[in-house]
């Protein structure tokens, strides 16, 4: 949903340009029914606007005062999501529909009728009923289990709408300007990867047939998708998607929470950045030749689709955010208008001609919605340049209202103004009190030759389908634009000498307040001494005014390229270098410069003046302390992205050990350390992601994440064993290209259950005989990582669809490289059981040298026991050993583990390893954010 945030930190908000959830701190323990659902200004304003008249009026307010139903979405590719969805339909819905309460059948969860493939669901059953009947307990266990492994995401229904209206196709470049916490960005990633699984399977099948190799049978769902995939799709990279999603957030901590959520999707086509969305920097592309054969040296990325889900007052979320009823006031929307407008204009500047921007908020206020749309179109040259797409035929089963063409504006004193002319008249006669934040652009546009079709915007209200309230507008860029500079507010009051400081203070002190909000007196100063045209204007936020005072001088920053005429006049001293829609050469010396002053208000500013900031990138801190090193803006140091040469020694050993097909790309492997050496983790990215990261390496753009973990280094028991194991998140990308030498094939449900329940079953001696059809294969296969391919087979003991899991063959045993929560989720999904796991490695804690070491040190005992089976991995600096049980280092614990290890445990799978820049101090916050949805489900 639109992020609630902005302003001076009052009301609902914090932050600017994306990245403030605002709304105060929501307590999960607050009883919604006990909160008074009344707010004089809130009800007065929306009744005056007449958002729902006649018979709808009572339904409108009644719905807003009811608690919001739970909703969730099945995530990932169709091959992942549809089987989990089918399980809900076949196993849990029939159990729930048989429940009677007070003589009536309980309503089960229902699919959202307008969401494609019924992958979104809503449940309206009261909590007292859910707690009373056991089928709901099983259903909740299913939700929590699948959420923990990323197959289900708790997401508000209206929040799912904007991505569906973007019409994203595989191969497109997409930007989410205000992405945290990541639910919409996850939808965009799924769309960019649409059909990829079917395409790659078709390519692999064709390749194997050409090579005369065995072709594995596909399940019916995969076969259907392969038949549906069109030949004119995204085939240029052997079926792998060539598109890209850039997910941005202005708040550094929330950008890392975004990473933690998005990692579930395992996409090499994702980049996460940390910038103020109002000043999102232009991203340079490598030099190339255009369609006319002309060499382009200054070539910048333009996006096919952009989502601007902007910070907003959030007054449409009152069904889940009780603070709306307590704290709503008109200043919230008035203070956010300028920020929202700048984000939308910046989005239109970065958009390709023919591309779409989807603008959305979770507010009902036209000042944040239709007024922003109208002002942005006007600044960009009118509807001949940017137009609103009519989406009345999109999502046909979804109820909605048209956008408003006429509205009124409420000032911070609660007075409602029908027109800007009346505001000007009041200012002339009575002064500026209470009117300081109002501007002409907040009112409906006057009649012009090119009227803006605001009725094509979309409003969704709570009573229409039992959801929150939301606003969405889809804009199309029809031609290149030159955005008009942001106009200063008109000064209509008679010019008078500004009061002295002493007199101003006396007037402020004489103004009665409620004594609880110190910001009231700050607002009073704006009324007593309003900004003039020569000073700050009404449209500039407090943070921007503060930063303007300390912006770097020309002498400090050196030669700058003149800003294009579309640059916001009020931001001209502090914007980063923006490239216009036409790729033209930059002046000498300015090509690689990016000016990043001021930093986003969400970041802590350095106490020193900007004159002390160097224009060249500072050298990286020592490698031994990169996780704790801070940049000058107090943000943790981000390790650089260094791509490996395809002939690098470690990569060569990987190619040989896994018999990796030569058709798999070998120029996209990356590490994150200043030396560019694969010390512990090797990542994989898409080709376009590599081009962007390398071309903009020294530009000042703040990249905080890219790439999927493909290989992780661990201790091995023989020199001929490859120490690089395939990471589970990279396995779906790589598995089809691994040679038969490292593949184990399985068709039996019984044996898979054994591997899920038993951790480290013995293979040496007679142990392999207990593993059925794979016994001889795992007995004879060499030590190291291998791929377990679970293939389709007929009969009750077979599987209807193929699966792939990572397997580790050690000296004495075998182990699925899966975290415990994923093992439990698969047991519940495939076998409908919650069987306790059996860890056979613990049997060796009390034998041999390990037993002796346990008496000396708990840490040494755990290390020794794990080394007996060869399941350890060395830390990046070589100074320690971490236990590898499952797919990460968190499933075996011991007394004496340090705070950093505990932080990694809190974060989950593979967090805190090598170069995941998540400081230990952030661990609790990230863990709390990522588990919040699970807690809500358990309640």
């Amino acid at each position: 949903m639109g992020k609630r945030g902005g302003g001076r930190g009052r009301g609902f908000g914090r932050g600017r340009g994306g990245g403030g959830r605002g709304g105060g701190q929501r307590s999960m323990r607050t009883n919604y029914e006990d909160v008074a659902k009344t707010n004089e200004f809130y009800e007065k304003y929306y009744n005056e606007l007449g958002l729902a008249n006649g018979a709808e009026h009572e339904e409108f307010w009644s719905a807003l005062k009811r608690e919001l139903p739970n909703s969730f979405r099945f995530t990932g590719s169709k091959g992942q999501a549809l089987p989990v969805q089918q399980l809900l339909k076949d196993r849990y819905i029939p159990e729930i529909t048989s429940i009677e309460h007070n003589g009536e059948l309980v309503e089960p969860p229902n699919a959202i009728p307008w969401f494609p493939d019924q992958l979104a669901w809503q449940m309206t059953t009261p909590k007292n009923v859910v707690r009373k009947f056991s089928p709901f307990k099983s259903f909740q266990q299913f939700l929590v289990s699948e959420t923990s492994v990323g197959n289900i995401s708790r997401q508000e229904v209206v929040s799912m709408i904007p991505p569906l209206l973007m019409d994203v196709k595989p191969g497109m470049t997409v930007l989410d300007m205000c992405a945290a916490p990541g639910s919409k960005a996850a939808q965009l990633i799924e769309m960019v990867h649409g059909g990829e699984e079917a395409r790659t399977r078709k390519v692999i099948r064709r390749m194997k047939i050409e090579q005369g190799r065995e072709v594995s049978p596909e399940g019916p769902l995969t076969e259907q998708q392969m038949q549906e995939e069109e030949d004119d799709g995204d085939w240029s990279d052997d079926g792998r998607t060539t598109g890209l999603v850039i997910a941005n957030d202005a708040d550094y901590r929330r950008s890392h929470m975004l990473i933690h959520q998005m990692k579930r999707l395992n996409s090499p086509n994702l980049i996460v950045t940390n910038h103020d969305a109002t000043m999102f920097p232009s991203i340079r592309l490598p030099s190339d030749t255009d369609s006319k054969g002309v060499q382009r040296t200054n070539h910048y990325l333009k996006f096919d689709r952009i989502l601007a889900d902007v910070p907003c007052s959030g007054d449409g979320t009152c069904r889940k955010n009780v603070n709306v009823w307590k704290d709503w006031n008109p200043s919230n929307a008035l203070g956010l208008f300028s920020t929202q407008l700048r984000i939308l204009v910046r989005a239109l500047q970065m958009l390709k001609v023919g591309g779409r921007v989807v603008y959305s908020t979770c507010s009902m206020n036209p000042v944040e919605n239709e007024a922003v749309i109208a002002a942005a179109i006007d600044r960009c040259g009118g509807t001949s340049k940017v137009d609103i797409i009519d989406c009345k035929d999109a999502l046909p089963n979804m109820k909605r209202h048209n956008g408003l063409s006429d509205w009124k504006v409420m000032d911070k004193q609660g007075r409602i103004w029908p027109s800007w002319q009346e505001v000007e008249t009041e200012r002339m006669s009575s002064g500026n009190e209470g009117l300081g934040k109002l501007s002409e652009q907040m009112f409906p546009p006057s009649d012009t030759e090119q009227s803006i079709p605001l009725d094509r915007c979309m409003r969704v209200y709570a009573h229409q389908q039992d959801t929150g309230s939301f606003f969405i507008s889809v804009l199309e860029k029809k031609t290149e634009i030159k955005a008009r500079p942001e106009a200063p507010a008109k000064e209509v009051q008679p010019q008078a000498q500004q009061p002295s400081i002493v007199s101003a203070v006396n007037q402020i002190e004489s103004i009665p307040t409620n004594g609880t909000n110190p910001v009231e007196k700050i607002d009073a100063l704006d009324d007593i001494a309003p900004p003039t045209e020569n000073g700050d204007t009404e449209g500039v936020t407090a943070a921007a005014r503060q930063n303007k005072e300390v912006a770097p001088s020309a002498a400090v920053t050196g030669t700058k390229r003149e800003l294009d005429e579309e640059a916001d006049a009020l931001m001209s001293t502090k914007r980063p270098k923006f490239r216009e829609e036409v790729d033209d050469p930059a002046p000498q010396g300015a090509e690689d410069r990016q000016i990043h002053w001021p930093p986003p208000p969400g970041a802590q500013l350095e106490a020193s003046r900007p004159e002390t900031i160097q224009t060249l990138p500072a050298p990286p801190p020592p490698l031994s302390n990169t996780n704790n090193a801070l940049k000058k803006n107090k943000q943790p140091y981000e390790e650089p992205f260094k791509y490996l040469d395809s002939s690098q020694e470690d990569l060569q050993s990987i190619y040989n050990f896994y018999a990796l097909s030569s058709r798999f790309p070998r120029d996209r492997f990356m590490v994150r350390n200043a030396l560019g050496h694969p010390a512990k983790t090797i990542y994989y990215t898409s080709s376009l992601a590599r081009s962007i990261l390398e071309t903009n390496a020294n530009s000042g753009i703040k990249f905080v994440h890219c790439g999927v973990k493909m290989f992780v280094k661990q201790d091995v028991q023989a020199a001929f064993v490859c120490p690089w194991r395939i990471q589970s998140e990279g396995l779906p990308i790589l598995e089809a290209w691994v040679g038969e030498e490292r593949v184990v094939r399985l068709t039996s449900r019984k044996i898979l259950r054994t591997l899920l329940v038993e951790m480290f079953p013995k293979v040496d001696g007679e142990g392999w005989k207990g593993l059925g059809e794979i016994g001889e294969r795992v007995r004879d296969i060499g030590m190291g990582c291998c791929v377990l391919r679970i293939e389709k087979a007929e009969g009750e003991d077979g599987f209807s669809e193929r699966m792939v899991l990572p397997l580790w063959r050690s000296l004495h045993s075998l182990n699925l490289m899966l975290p415990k929560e994923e093992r439990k989720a698969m047991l519940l999904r495939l076998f409908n059981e919650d069987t306790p796991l059996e860890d056979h490695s613990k049997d060796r804690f009390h034998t041999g040298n390990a037993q002796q070491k346990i008496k000396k040190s708990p840490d040494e005992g755990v290390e020794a026991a794990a080394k007996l089976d060869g399941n350890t991995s060395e830390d990046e600096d070589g100074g320690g050993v971490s236990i590898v049980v499952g797919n990460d280092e968190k499933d075996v614990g011991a007394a004496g583990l340090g705070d950093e290890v505990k932080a990694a445990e809190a974060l989950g799978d593979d967090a805190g390893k090598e170069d995941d820049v998540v400081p230990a101090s952030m661990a609790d916050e990230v863990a709390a954010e990522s588990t919040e949805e699970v807690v809500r489900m358990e309640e």
Side-chain angles (χ1 to χ4, degrees):
M1 63 167 41
K3 282 72 177 171
R4 299 180 296 280
R8 292 172 176 162
R10 72 186 83 174
F12 305 125
R14 71 174 192 270
R16 173 170 169 259
R21 291 183 72 179
Q25 292 185 351
R26 185 176 65 86
S27 171
M28 293 191 298
R29 302 299 176 186
T30 301
N31 189 337
Y32 186 85
E33 299 300 327
D34 294 340
V35 176
K37 314 299 188 307
T38 180
N39 181 297
E40 180 185 357
F41 285 172
Y42 183 68
E43 296 173 81
K44 173 184 176 182
Y45 183 47
Y46 289 126
N47 278 329
E48 181 70 24
L49 291 181
L51 300 184
N53 294 319
E56 280 191 294
H57 181 268
E58 185 175 344
E59 296 177 14
F60 175 85
W61 287 108
S62 176
L64 287 176
K65 297 178 181 182
R66 293 196 305 268
E67 192 168 8
L68 189 69
N70 289 317
S71 55
F72 57 92
R73 186 174 65 84
F74 295 97
T75 63
S77 67
K78 285 187 178 181
Q80 296 170 310
L82 290 177
V84 182
Q85 175 223 56
Q86 195 62 43
L87 186 62
L88 169 66
K89 293 180 177 179
D90 295 343
R91 182 185 299 173
Y92 297 100
I93 297 298
E95 294 179 354
I96 293 174
T97 53
S98 63
I99 299 174
E100 284 193 15
H101 179 66
N102 293 335
E104 297 182 357
L105 291 174
V106 171
E107 183 178 4
N110 292 301
I112 305 299
W114 45 262
F115 198 95
D117 299 309
Q118 294 188 331
L119 291 176
W121 290 64
Q122 188 175 48
M123 185 173 73
T124 59
T125 310
K127 290 181 179 179
N128 63 321
V129 178
V130 171
R131 297 186 181 116
K132 185 175 181 180
F133 297 96
S134 59
F136 277 109
K137 182 179 180 180
S138 299
F139 172 59
Q140 282 190 303
Q141 184 183 13
F142 162 75
L143 290 181
V144 171
S145 174
E146 296 298 340
T147 299
S148 69
V149 298
N151 289 332
I152 286 178
S153 174
R154 185 188 184 279
Q155 184 177 354
E156 188 175 342
V157 171
V158 287
S159 173
M160 305 174 191
I161 300 173
L164 297 178
L165 296 176
M166 294 180 71
D167 191 30
V168 174
K169 299 289 194 304
M172 287 186 170
T173 54
V174 183
L175 172 64
D176 187 348
M177 300 186 75
C178 313
S183 57
K184 297 183 190 69
Q187 286 181 259
L188 298 177
I189 282 286
E190 292 166 13
M191 294 173 183
V192 165
H193 284 278
E196 181 180 41
E197 186 176 9
R199 291 194 304 272
T200 54
R201 295 307 303 165
K202 289 182 77 170
V203 170
I204 293 296
R205 174 182 288 183
R206 190 180 305 123
M207 182 186 72
K208 288 185 176 181
I209 292 175
E210 291 172 355
Q211 297 173 352
R213 295 167 54 188
E214 179 183 356
V215 178
S216 301
E218 304 289 353
L221 178 59
T222 306
E223 286 286 358
Q224 178 184 350
Q225 293 174 359
M226 291 170 63
Q227 293 173 8
E228 292 174 353
E229 190 61 28
E230 299 178 358
D231 291 335
D232 59 351
D234 192 6
W235 293 91
S236 61
D237 191 20
D238 277 339
R240 290 177 288 265
T241 187
T242 57
L244 182 74
V245 172
I246 296 181
N248 176 72
D249 202 80
D251 186 272
Y252 181 77
R253 288 176 178 264
R254 283 174 58 78
S255 70
H256 273 280
M257 294 174 186
L258 169 64
I259 294 167
H260 189 63
Q261 297 297 328
M262 299 291 285
K263 277 175 64 177
R264 299 172 176 178
L265 296 174
N266 305 328
S267 173
N269 303 69
L270 169 70
I271 293 176
V272 177
T273 59
N274 172 217
H275 282 280
D276 183 340
T278 66
M279 300 185 291
F280 192 85
S282 299
I283 296 175
R284 193 175 182 180
L285 294 175
S287 299
D288 69 351
T289 302
D290 65 17
S291 58
K292 298 180 180 180
V294 178
Q295 184 73 16
R296 296 187 293 184
T297 56
N298 289 296
H299 182 33
Y300 290 83
L301 178 67
K302 294 298 179 64
F303 295 93
D304 297 286
R305 301 287 187 267
I306 297 178
L307 175 59
D309 186 50
V310 300
C312 67
S313 64
D315 62 20
T317 68
C318 61
R319 300 188 66 181
K320 68 174 184 178
N321 181 16
V322 295
N323 288 333
V324 171
W325 292 105
K326 297 187 295 181
D327 302 331
W328 190 91
N329 68 78
S331 292
N332 299 326
L334 301 178
L336 284 164
F337 173 81
S338 294
T339 296
Q340 293 162 340
L341 176 57
R342 289 170 186 152
I343 292 174
L344 181 53
V345 171
R346 183 64 188 135
L348 290 166
Q349 289 172 339
M350 295 186 291
L351 188 68
K352 289 179 180 178
V353 173
R356 289 188 179 189
V357 169
V358 171
Y359 175 91
S360 62
T361 75
C362 50
S363 168
M364 297 184 289
N365 198 321
V367 170
E368 301 179 77
N369 298 326
E370 287 89 352
V372 173
I373 298 297
I377 292 176
D378 179 60
R379 277 192 60 192
C380 292
T383 54
S384 64
K385 302 283 188 177
V386 177
D387 203 4
I388 304 174
I389 296 177
D390 191 349
C391 294
K392 64 182 180 181
D393 295 328
L395 309 178
N397 292 318
M398 189 185 75
K399 301 174 184 177
R400 84 285 304 267
H401 278 208
N402 293 337
L404 303 179
S405 298
D406 188 38
W407 63 88
K408 302 174 183 178
V409 178
M410 177 181 280
D411 66 22
K412 64 183 183 181
Q413 293 183 351
R415 295 174 296 181
I416 296 177
W417 301 94
S419 69
W420 173 246
Q421 289 71 26
E422 293 192 23
V423 174
E424 288 184 313
T425 301
E426 177 67 16
R427 280 179 169 172
M428 292 293 293
S429 61
S430 304
N432 205 46
E433 184 176 356
L435 305 176
K437 287 186 176 182
L438 299 186
S439 71
E440 184 175 4
Q441 290 179 310
M442 295 178 182
F443 289 83
S446 58
D447 292 335
T448 61
E449 293 182 1
Q450 275 191 325
S451 60
I452 299 174
L454 293 173
D455 59 309
R456 294 180 183 176
C457 299
M458 186 182 303
R459 285 176 161 264
V460 178
Y461 297 132
H463 69 284
Q464 292 177 300
Q465 46 234 326
D466 205 9
T467 65
S469 297
F470 221 76
F471 173 88
I472 313 102
S473 184
V474 184
L475 305 179
E476 180 183 12
K477 183 175 179 178
K478 302 172 74 173
T479 66
E480 299 289 359
I481 62 171
K482 289 281 188 178
R484 188 176 67 250
E486 194 172 337
K490 293 181 180 179
E491 184 59 62
V492 296
Q493 67 180 27
Q495 294 295 324
Q497 184 176 0
Q498 294 284 352
S500 67
I501 295 176
V502 174
S503 62
V505 170
N506 291 336
Q507 290 184 60
I508 292 172
E509 292 298 329
S510 66
I511 294 175
T513 66
N514 60 16
T516 62
N517 188 0
V519 178
E520 291 180 354
K521 294 186 180 295
I522 298 176
D523 288 337
L525 179 59
D526 285 341
D527 295 333
I528 294 170
T532 65
E533 209 168 296
N534 294 326
D536 290 335
T537 65
E538 296 287 347
V540 182
T541 64
R545 291 198 296 269
Q546 177 185 5
N547 288 332
K548 184 177 179 181
E549 295 174 1
V550 293
S553 65
V556 176
T557 59
T559 303
K560 297 182 181 179
R561 179 176 67 85
E562 275 188 32
L563 294 176
D564 292 322
E565 65 187 37
E566 88 283 357
D568 293 344
L570 298 177
M571 304 295 291
S572 61
T573 61
K574 50 190 179 295
R575 293 181 59 155
K577 184 182 72 175
F578 289 161
R579 297 298 304 173
E580 240 315 322
E581 274 57 48
V582 179
D583 294 314
D584 52 357
Q588 183 178 2
E591 294 91 349
D592 295 319
R593 290 288 309 283
Q594 288 285 344
I595 301 162
H596 292 295
W597 185 267
Q604 297 182 12
L605 300 180
E606 183 189 22
S608 62
R609 302 287 293 181
E611 284 78 1
T612 64
I613 296 181
Q614 300 178 2
T615 57
L616 294 177
L623 290 178
S624 60
N625 194 32
T626 54
N627 282 345
N628 295 324
L630 298 178
K631 287 185 177 180
K632 287 192 174 186
N633 60 5
K634 306 301 181 183
Q635 292 186 3
Y637 174 78
E638 289 286 349
E639 290 281 11
F641 300 81
K642 297 287 187 178
Y643 281 85
L644 301 174
D645 188 277
S646 59
S647 61
Q648 198 273 339
E649 181 181 358
D650 291 86
L651 289 182
Q652 288 295 326
S653 69
I654 289 171
Y655 304 153
N656 295 331
F657 184 79
Y658 293 105
L660 201 61
S661 170
S662 60
R663 287 184 61 171
F664 188 83
R666 301 191 175 190
D667 60 347
R668 305 176 189 177
F669 293 113
M670 174 195 77
V671 296
R672 292 204 63 184
N673 59 63
L675 296 179
H677 179 72
K680 183 178 178 182
T681 303
I682 296 176
Y683 297 82
Y684 172 84
T685 73
S686 69
S687 177
L688 179 56
R690 171 176 180 159
S691 296
I692 288 173
L693 292 175
E694 289 192 321
T695 307
N696 298 273
N698 298 311
S699 66
I701 297 178
K702 292 182 284 186
F703 299 109
V704 294
H705 170 80
C706 182
V708 172
K709 284 186 178 180
M710 187 65 78
F711 303 106
V712 174
K713 194 173 187 178
Q714 70 176 68
D715 285 348
V716 292
Q717 296 159 302
F720 61 84
V721 180
C722 179
W724 294 99
R725 61 182 172 90
I726 303 174
Q727 189 75 354
S728 65
E729 59 194 71
L731 184 61
I733 301 169
L734 187 71
E735 62 90 8
W737 308 93
V738 173
E740 292 297 325
E741 294 88 333
R742 301 306 304 173
V743 173
V744 177
R745 299 179 184 274
L746 171 67
T747 60
S748 169
R749 294 172 61 89
K750 179 181 178 182
I751 300 303
L752 177 60
R753 181 188 178 280
T754 298
L755 293 175
L756 289 171
V757 172
E758 298 185 26
M759 302 167 67
F760 303 101
K762 288 180 67 66
V763 177
D764 58 354
E766 300 293 314
W768 60 273
K769 293 183 178 179
L771 295 176
E773 64 177 318
I774 66 170
E776 290 188 18
R777 175 61 172 155
V778 297
R779 178 197 64 189
D780 299 336
I781 199 169
M783 288 188 295
C785 183
C786 47
V787 176
L788 179 65
R789 287 186 182 155
I790 303 161
E791 299 188 336
K792 174 190 172 184
E794 302 297 333
E796 293 183 0
D797 193 42
F799 295 92
S800 60
E801 295 287 339
R802 71 189 299 272
M803 293 179 285
V804 183
L805 301 173
L807 197 63
W808 183 267
R809 170 66 161 93
S810 62
L811 184 61
H812 303 289
S813 66
L814 192 70
N815 192 41
L816 277 178
M817 306 297 282
L818 296 176
K820 288 180 180 178
E821 62 268 20
E822 190 156 343
R823 288 172 178 263
K824 293 178 179 179
M826 289 188 70
L827 282 169
L828 184 62
R829 186 187 319 132
L830 299 176
F831 303 99
N832 195 22
E833 59 180 74
D834 188 19
T835 305
L837 304 184
E838 302 174 16
D839 188 353
H840 293 294
S841 68
K842 294 181 179 180
D843 298 339
R844 292 187 287 279
F845 280 110
H846 306 288
T847 62
N849 294 332
Q851 187 176 18
Q852 297 297 324
K853 288 195 174 186
I854 288 174
K855 295 178 181 179
K856 296 178 182 180
S857 164
D859 287 346
E860 292 178 358
V862 173
E863 177 183 323
K867 278 192 171 182
L868 284 175
D869 206 39
N871 290 282
T872 62
S873 65
E874 193 170 347
D875 289 342
E876 181 178 15
D877 59 5
V881 176
S882 53
I883 313 305
V884 179
V885 178
N887 192 39
D888 53 27
E889 300 160 310
K890 68 187 181 64
D891 288 326
V892 171
L897 293 179
D899 290 338
E900 293 183 2
V901 175
K902 292 177 181 177
E905 291 179 353
L907 287 169
D909 185 24
D910 283 324
K913 290 184 181 179
E914 186 189 310
D915 38 33
D916 283 333
V917 188
V918 184
S921 60
M922 287 177 57
D924 291 341
E925 182 174 347
V926 176
E929 179 79 13
S930 63
T931 58
E932 180 181 1
E933 59 188 30
V934 179
V935 172
R936 286 197 293 262
M937 287 181 179
E938 289 175 334
E939 289 181 333

